[in-house]
Amino acid sequence: MRQIKQLSVVSCQSSEQQSSRAIEQQSSAQKSLTTALLRFCAIALISLFSVHCSLFTAYAYADDDPLGLMRDDVLSYFRPLKGKVVSVMNGVAVINIGESSNVKKGMRFIVFGEGAVFLHPVTKAPIGTLEAVIGKAEVKEVGYDTSKAFILTGDVKVSDKVRISETGVRMLFYQGKNVDWSLGDSYYRLLKETGRFELVDTAMETDNDSEVIAEAKRLNADVVLILSAKEAAGDTMLKHRLLWVDTPPIPPLTKGGEGGFAEDEVRVAVAFMKELRFGEEFFGPQKGDVRTFVDLPFGVRLLTAGDIDGDGKAELLMSTGSDIRLYAPGAAGDLSSLYEIKGTVKDDHIWLDVLDINRDGKDEVILTLMKDDMVVSRIYEFKNGKFSVLWEGDVFLRRIGNELIAQGYERGEGYKGAVFKVAWDNGFKKGGSVSLPKGVNIYDFTFISEPDGKNLTLAYDDTGYLNLYDEGIRVWRSRGDYGGFQTTFKRAAPTIMIERGEWAVKDRLSMQNREILVIKRIPLVGMAKGLGYSKSEIRSLWWTGVNMEERTIIDDMPGNALDYTIADNRIIILDRPALGIKFKNILKGENPIGTVLYIYSLKGR
């Protein structure tokens, strides 16, 4: 096809050259007339050639875009259709639409019957009848202008109406572990961009369809798309299968993963894969990307980054729980030790931040810790090559945007009173309250700025779910929790027989180009969260103004992601691998629980 286009262009160019030579041989009067005629012909030829090229382009796109072909195949089962039942026998309904109306085997129709008479509100004269949902039917055989549908539910009768509505279809998108991440993610986005599907995903891994169906039921999905892949002569054979959730599909599912009402398979060429990865619209740290891995020689609990010494480069700050160690990250992922803020064995760090509070061009270190069952917050200033305490108090501290906020503490209870702003004027000055929904505390939330200047509040609740609030009214809640929190404290009780629950320091919520990055922890299969995690993910949340778009951007971290920070177009994640005990640290008197850093590039995101 591309050769045909090139020949067409060469032909046009050759014709123009010949015409130009002819014009030069004619008289000036003839030249004027001929030129006008040639211009007219050229315009006509160009218009014809444009149509010719557009047809070839569209055809080439269809051939060269396997994901588009698969998307169209999925859409073909959910296009809006209307029909009527013309006969019913032995649980099978015949409807008056078929292949000529694009009916396909496996489609499911909602069956409607005539309900109560609808009266005019003034004259009370009958003006129609209301429709009532009677049941559901799945197409099993398709003729040219009729189809046979197996009645799944309901008492279906002749003259009942059947319909596939235009409402969104809730679909569980299950991507097998043998599918390249960028390929699956691109297909996911193609389906989502159609606006036909409300896509949900899951962190489970299984080859058993029944388990996927059970997960889809838990997530209230209508249909499941299972995506799988296999190698074929250097290319990738990508396959999807569609399975209904609410009733047993026909044919029945098999343990090996075959079955469902529809499937399609396409060949994805190596060149397409390379182009896909190179041109990824939402570039980000993804499975298979090159990453830097740093095995830390000591245990770390908290992580942040900031320009502490004013050299224009971000330093990496890591809390061991009692000390803070500062490093300069190198381009190759190596860490050069710089400074240290020593603490005591009684210190228990719970939050670490940086912010240029006094506007001197250098970030100050903001630390909140528990000590002797009391909260202590300190602000450290780096000056003349060493750290000194700029301020200390008995409140929780945290950075939000470019502001410092605080909240009171009550011994044995946790957070106390309203969250308030801190105005730094040669010292700590308490400012006005921060407007937050009821029950939201200092480490629970972040703000999402709307185009009209209004702030929405995204906040964790105590069960680990995320909630979005608009002026105190919840407008969205996550469908699952994010794996619990790492730092919790029991509330005081008069006796050991009384349990009063816990208060928690929630996970960090960071904004990156209007995306909110969150940690999602996946417990070990079949085990409670307290017994460990099989892996962790970094997920991205994007509020469109109507709904919350959620996608996984990093999903290959084994164990428990503790904290993360963003610095110099890199996301740095602190992770504790499962069973990551370092016995040599015990001999040194250091934390034996090993931790690692994963460093991904965010360049271009």
Side-chain angles (χ1 to χ4, degrees):
M1 277 177 264
R2 293 187 178 90
Q3 292 177 346
I4 292 174
K5 293 179 187 178
Q6 291 170 357
L7 288 173
S8 299
V9 173
V10 171
S11 298
C12 290
Q13 290 174 344
S14 177
S15 299
E16 289 176 358
Q17 291 170 358
Q18 294 174 3
S19 299
S20 298
R21 286 195 292 270
I23 293 174
E24 292 173 356
Q25 296 171 0
Q26 295 170 346
S27 64
S28 58
Q30 290 174 325
K31 285 181 181 179
S32 299
L33 178 61
T34 304
T35 300
L37 289 171
L38 283 173
R39 283 177 179 167
F40 174 79
C41 292
I43 292 172
L45 285 171
I46 290 171
S47 300
L48 181 62
F49 180 69
S50 298
V51 173
H52 166 82
C53 290
S54 65
L55 290 174
F56 270 106
T57 301
Y59 182 67
Y61 178 81
D63 280 350
D64 297 340
D65 182 16
L67 299 185
L69 293 173
M70 293 183 74
R71 172 204 58 201
D72 294 344
D73 179 68
V74 174
L75 282 171
S76 69
Y77 288 90
F78 300 96
R79 58 168 54 94
L81 287 172
K82 294 181 180 180
K84 184 178 290 188
V85 176
V86 294
S87 69
V88 178
M89 182 178 294
N90 298 327
V92 174
V94 177
I95 59 177
N96 66 344
I97 52 175
E99 186 179 343
S100 60
S101 301
N102 297 314
V103 175
K104 300 182 72 171
K105 181 180 178 181
M107 281 181 168
R108 283 197 177 177
F109 287 89
I110 302 297
V111 184
F112 295 86
E114 289 190 357
V117 176
F118 183 64
L119 303 179
H120 190 282
V122 178
T123 65
K124 305 303 180 182
I127 57 176
T129 56
L130 297 175
E131 289 183 342
V133 175
I134 291 175
K136 190 179 298 183
E138 181 174 332
V139 176
K140 298 307 302 170
E141 188 178 319
V142 182
Y144 181 73
D145 54 10
T146 61
S147 302
K148 293 181 179 180
F150 181 81
I151 300 172
L152 299 173
T153 60
D155 183 15
V156 179
K157 298 180 176 62
V158 174
S159 297
D160 286 341
K161 298 177 182 178
V162 296
R163 184 182 306 157
I164 298 176
S165 69
E166 298 181 3
T167 57
V169 178
R170 187 169 173 80
M171 173 186 286
L172 174 66
F173 184 93
Y174 182 79
Q175 178 176 332
K177 56 187 176 183
N178 57 350
V179 180
D180 181 274
W181 193 95
S182 59
L183 189 61
D185 186 62
S186 296
Y187 187 38
Y188 179 97
R189 280 193 268 115
L190 275 179
L191 290 171
K192 197 169 189 68
E193 287 166 2
T194 66
R196 190 70 176 95
F197 306 104
E198 180 188 352
L199 293 177
V200 293
D201 54 16
T202 175
M204 73 179 300
E205 293 184 1
T206 180
D207 293 325
N208 190 303
D209 288 348
S210 298
E211 294 178 3
V212 179
I213 290 290
E215 177 75 353
K217 287 182 179 178
R218 186 183 71 83
L219 296 172
N220 299 316
D222 303 311
V223 67
V224 172
L225 185 148
I226 297 179
L227 192 65
S228 60
K230 62 182 179 182
E231 294 298 317
D235 294 338
T236 298
M237 298 303 298
L238 189 66
K239 179 180 180 179
H240 71 210
R241 292 182 295 117
L242 298 174
L243 305 94
W244 294 111
V245 173
D246 56 351
T247 58
I250 305 169
L253 299 177
T254 62
K255 186 176 181 180
E258 297 301 324
F261 67 88
E263 66 177 49
D264 190 25
E265 187 174 51
V266 296
R267 179 180 291 272
V268 182
V270 174
F272 181 88
M273 288 290 297
K274 289 181 178 179
E275 184 179 351
L276 186 69
R277 288 171 178 164
F278 179 77
E280 187 73 17
E281 180 182 0
F282 294 100
F283 175 82
Q286 300 168 353
K287 181 186 289 185
D289 282 357
V290 176
R291 72 178 180 208
T292 304
F293 172 91
V294 181
D295 190 357
L296 299 174
F298 52 90
V300 178
R301 291 168 53 179
L302 301 170
L303 181 71
T304 192
D307 184 7
I308 303 300
D309 53 15
D311 64 353
K313 299 178 181 179
E315 286 77 46
L316 201 58
L317 291 80
M318 291 184 274
S319 162
T320 66
S322 58
D323 305 325
I324 299 174
R325 301 179 184 181
L326 283 79
Y327 294 85
D334 54 308
L335 300 177
S336 302
S337 180
L338 296 175
Y339 316 106
E340 186 174 13
I341 302 175
K342 292 291 292 183
T344 70
V345 294
K346 292 186 176 181
D347 292 350
D348 183 10
H349 296 179
I350 63 173
W351 195 266
L352 184 63
D353 254 331
V354 295
L355 178 64
D356 185 6
I357 297 171
N358 54 14
R359 303 295 186 263
D360 63 351
K362 296 184 294 184
D363 285 327
E364 280 69 53
V365 179
I366 303 162
L367 173 67
T368 299
L369 58 93
M370 295 293 294
K371 187 173 185 178
D372 297 326
D373 200 25
M374 291 298 295
V375 160
V376 178
S377 285
R378 299 190 186 112
I379 300 175
Y380 291 92
E381 179 184 30
F382 184 75
K383 196 172 184 179
N384 300 324
K386 64 180 182 179
F387 286 95
S388 60
V389 177
L390 192 62
W391 179 87
E392 181 175 315
D394 58 353
V395 295
F396 299 99
L397 284 184
R398 181 202 165 183
R399 171 183 180 170
I400 183 77
N402 289 317
E403 292 185 313
L404 185 64
I405 59 175
Q407 188 176 13
Y409 169 74
E410 183 175 350
R411 186 168 188 163
E413 294 295 324
Y415 306 106
K416 179 183 179 181
V419 178
F420 58 89
K421 297 179 181 179
V422 174
W424 190 265
D425 185 11
N426 293 321
F428 185 97
K429 306 289 184 183
K430 183 175 180 179
S433 297
V434 178
S435 179
L436 293 172
K438 184 178 180 181
V440 174
N441 293 301
I442 186 170
Y443 300 125
D444 298 355
F445 74 98
T446 191
F447 290 127
I448 299 176
S449 297
E450 293 280 77
D452 60 3
K454 182 171 62 174
N455 279 337
L456 306 182
T457 304
L458 181 70
Y460 283 108
D461 59 28
D462 290 337
T463 60
Y465 285 72
L466 278 169
N467 304 269
L468 186 67
Y469 298 92
D470 183 356
E471 296 181 350
I473 299 173
R474 188 171 69 186
V475 295
W476 174 84
R477 188 175 194 241
S478 61
R479 296 192 175 276
D481 68 80
Y482 285 79
F485 309 112
Q486 302 304 293
T487 306
T488 59
F489 301 90
K490 287 188 177 295
R491 291 190 173 91
T495 70
I496 60 173
M497 302 299 293
I498 298 176
E499 179 66 46
R500 297 190 58 240
E502 298 176 330
W503 62 274
V505 179
K506 309 301 198 310
D507 288 334
R508 196 179 300 272
L509 295 170
S510 292
M511 183 79 72
Q512 174 76 3
N513 297 330
R514 293 201 75 241
E515 290 178 291
I516 298 95
L517 303 184
V518 301
I519 294 174
K520 169 72 174 181
R521 301 181 183 91
I522 313 300
L524 289 169
V525 176
M527 301 178 73
K529 296 170 185 173
L531 298 180
Y533 298 90
S534 62
K535 70 171 187 175
S536 297
E537 304 171 347
I538 299 295
R539 293 194 175 182
S540 161
L541 300 177
W542 182 289
W543 177 247
T544 66
V546 178
N547 61 357
M548 188 72 76
E549 302 239 352
E550 180 173 0
R551 60 202 316 266
T552 302
I553 63 172
I554 301 175
D555 68 349
D556 55 355
M557 294 179 295
N560 181 6
L562 302 175
D563 201 359
Y564 69 93
T565 189
I566 298 171
D568 299 330
N569 280 324
R570 290 179 290 183
I571 179 169
I572 304 170
I573 304 159
L574 176 64
D575 185 72
R576 179 184 296 156
L579 305 179
I581 298 177
K582 299 185 176 182
F583 294 99
K584 64 180 181 180
N585 285 17
I586 298 176
L587 301 177
K588 296 178 182 179
E590 295 184 345
N591 190 333
I593 305 299
T595 48
V596 299
L597 295 180
Y598 294 114
I599 305 175
Y600 295 81
S601 173
L602 284 175
K603 188 176 181 180
R605 185 172 177 82

Coordinates of all heavy atoms in Angstrom, one line a residue, residues 271-298:
A271 N 7.5 -4.7 15.3 CA 7.6 -3.3 14.9 C 6.5 -2.5 15.6 O 6.7 -1.4 16.1 CB 7.5 -3.1 13.4
F272 N 5.3 -3.1 15.7 CA 4.2 -2.4 16.3 C 4.5 -2.2 17.8 O 4.2 -1.2 18.4 CB 2.9 -3.2 16.1 CG 1.7 -2.6 16.8 CD1 0.9 -1.6 16.1 CD2 1.3 -2.9 18.0 CE1 -0.2 -1.0 16.6 CE2 0.2 -2.3 18.6 CZ -0.6 -1.4 17.9
M273 N 5.0 -3.3 18.4 CA 5.4 -3.2 19.9 C 6.4 -2.2 20.2 O 6.3 -1.4 21.1 CB 5.9 -4.6 20.3 CG 4.8 -5.7 20.4 SD 3.7 -5.4 21.8 CE 4.8 -5.5 23.2
K274 N 7.4 -2.1 19.3 CA 8.5 -1.1 19.5 C 7.9 0.3 19.4 O 8.2 1.2 20.2 CB 9.6 -1.3 18.5 CG 10.4 -2.5 18.7 CD 11.5 -2.6 17.7 CE 12.4 -3.8 18.0 NZ 13.5 -4.0 17.0
E275 N 7.0 0.5 18.4 CA 6.4 1.8 18.2 C 5.5 2.2 19.3 O 5.4 3.3 19.8 CB 5.6 1.8 16.9 CG 5.0 3.2 16.5 CD 4.2 3.1 15.2 OE1 4.3 2.1 14.5 OE2 3.5 4.1 14.9
L276 N 4.8 1.2 19.9 CA 3.9 1.4 21.0 C 4.7 1.9 22.2 O 4.3 2.8 22.9 CB 3.2 0.1 21.3 CG 2.1 0.1 22.3 CD1 0.9 0.9 21.8 CD2 1.6 -1.3 22.7
R277 N 5.8 1.2 22.5 CA 6.6 1.6 23.7 C 7.2 2.9 23.5 O 7.3 3.7 24.4 CB 7.6 0.5 23.9 CG 7.1 -0.8 24.5 CD 8.1 -1.9 24.5 NE 7.6 -3.1 25.0 CZ 8.2 -4.3 24.9 NH1 9.3 -4.4 24.3 NH2 7.6 -5.3 25.4
F278 N 7.7 3.2 22.3 CA 8.3 4.5 22.0 C 7.4 5.6 22.1 O 7.7 6.7 22.7 CB 9.0 4.5 20.7 CG 9.7 5.8 20.3 CD1 10.9 6.1 20.9 CD2 9.1 6.7 19.5 CE1 11.6 7.2 20.6 CE2 9.8 7.9 19.2 CZ 11.0 8.2 19.7
G279 N 6.2 5.4 21.6 CA 5.2 6.5 21.6 C 4.1 6.5 22.7 O 3.1 7.0 22.5
E280 N 4.4 5.8 23.8 CA 3.5 5.7 24.9 C 3.0 7.1 25.3 O 3.8 7.9 25.8 CB 4.1 5.0 26.1 CG 3.2 4.6 27.2 CD 2.2 3.5 26.8 OE1 2.5 2.8 25.8 OE2 1.2 3.4 27.5
E281 N 1.7 7.4 25.2 CA 1.2 8.7 25.6 C 1.4 9.0 27.0 O 1.8 10.1 27.4 CB -0.3 8.8 25.2 CG -0.9 10.1 25.5 CD -2.4 10.1 25.1 OE1 -2.9 9.1 24.7 OE2 -3.0 11.1 25.4
F282 N 1.1 8.1 27.9 CA 1.2 8.4 29.3 C 2.5 7.7 29.8 O 2.5 6.6 30.4 CB 0.0 7.8 30.1 CG -1.2 8.6 29.8 CD1 -2.1 8.0 28.9 CD2 -1.5 9.8 30.4 CE1 -3.3 8.7 28.6 CE2 -2.6 10.5 30.1 CZ -3.6 9.9 29.2
F283 N 3.7 8.2 29.3 CA 4.9 7.6 29.7 C 5.1 7.5 31.2 O 4.8 8.5 31.9 CB 6.1 8.3 29.1 CG 7.4 7.8 29.5 CD1 8.0 6.7 28.8 CD2 8.1 8.3 30.5 CE1 9.2 6.2 29.2 CE2 9.3 7.8 30.9 CZ 9.9 6.8 30.2
G284 N 5.5 6.4 31.7 CA 5.7 6.3 33.1 C 6.5 5.1 33.5 O 6.8 4.3 32.6
P285 N 6.9 4.9 34.7 CA 7.6 3.7 35.1 C 6.7 2.5 35.0 O 5.7 2.4 35.7 CB 8.0 4.0 36.6 CG 7.0 5.0 37.0 CD 6.6 5.8 35.8
Q286 N 7.0 1.6 34.1 CA 6.1 0.5 33.9 C 6.9 -0.8 34.0 O 8.1 -0.9 34.0 CB 5.6 0.6 32.5 CG 4.8 1.9 32.3 CD 4.4 2.2 30.8 OE1 4.9 1.5 29.9 NE2 3.6 3.2 30.6
K287 N 6.1 -1.9 34.1 CA 6.8 -3.2 34.1 C 7.6 -3.4 32.9 O 7.2 -3.1 31.7 CB 5.7 -4.3 34.1 CG 6.2 -5.7 34.2 CD 5.1 -6.7 34.1 CE 4.3 -6.8 35.3 NZ 3.3 -7.8 35.2
G288 N 8.9 -3.9 33.1 CA 9.8 -4.1 32.0 C 10.7 -2.9 31.7 O 11.6 -3.0 31.0
D289 N 10.3 -1.7 32.2 CA 11.2 -0.5 32.0 C 12.5 -0.8 32.8 O 12.5 -1.5 33.8 CB 10.6 0.7 32.6 CG 9.5 1.3 31.6 OD1 9.4 0.7 30.5 OD2 8.9 2.3 31.9
V290 N 13.6 -0.1 32.3 CA 14.8 -0.2 33.1 C 14.7 0.6 34.4 O 14.2 1.7 34.4 CB 16.0 0.4 32.2 CG1 17.3 0.4 33.0 CG2 16.2 -0.4 30.9
R291 N 15.1 0.0 35.5 CA 15.0 0.7 36.7 C 16.3 0.5 37.5 O 17.0 -0.4 37.2 CB 13.8 0.2 37.6 CG 14.1 -1.2 38.1 CD 13.0 -1.7 39.0 NE 13.3 -3.0 39.5 CZ 12.4 -3.9 39.8 NH1 11.1 -3.7 39.6 NH2 12.8 -5.1 40.2
T292 N 16.5 1.4 38.4 CA 17.7 1.3 39.3 C 17.3 0.7 40.6 O 16.3 1.1 41.2 CB 18.3 2.7 39.5 OG1 18.6 3.3 38.3 CG2 19.6 2.6 40.3
F293 N 18.1 -0.2 41.1 CA 17.8 -1.0 42.3 C 18.9 -0.7 43.3 O 20.1 -1.0 42.9 CB 17.6 -2.5 41.9 CG 17.5 -3.4 43.1 CD1 16.3 -3.7 43.6 CD2 18.6 -3.9 43.7 CE1 16.1 -4.5 44.7 CE2 18.5 -4.8 44.8 CZ 17.2 -5.1 45.3
V294 N 18.6 -0.2 44.4 CA 19.6 0.1 45.4 C 19.3 -0.7 46.7 O 18.2 -0.5 47.3 CB 19.7 1.6 45.8 CG1 20.8 1.8 46.8 CG2 19.9 2.4 44.5
D295 N 20.1 -1.7 47.0 CA 20.0 -2.5 48.2 C 20.6 -1.7 49.4 O 21.8 -1.6 49.5 CB 20.7 -3.8 48.0 CG 20.3 -4.8 49.2 OD1 19.6 -4.4 50.1 OD2 20.8 -6.0 49.1
L296 N 19.8 -1.2 50.3 CA 20.3 -0.4 51.4 C 20.9 -1.3 52.5 O 20.3 -2.3 52.8 CB 19.1 0.4 52.0 CG 18.5 1.4 51.0 CD1 17.2 2.1 51.7 CD2 19.4 2.5 50.6
P297 N 22.0 -0.8 53.1 CA 22.6 -1.6 54.1 C 22.0 -1.5 55.5 O 22.5 -2.1 56.5 CB 24.1 -1.0 54.1 CG 23.9 0.4 53.7 CD 22.7 0.4 52.7
F298 N 20.9 -0.7 55.6 CA 20.2 -0.5 56.9 C 18.7 -0.4 56.6 O 18.3 -0.1 55.5 CB 20.8 0.7 57.6 CG 20.8 1.9 56.7 CD1 19.6 2.8 56.7 CD2 21.8 2.3 55.9 CE1 19.6 3.9 55.9 CE2 21.8 3.4 55.1 CZ 20.7 4.2 55.1

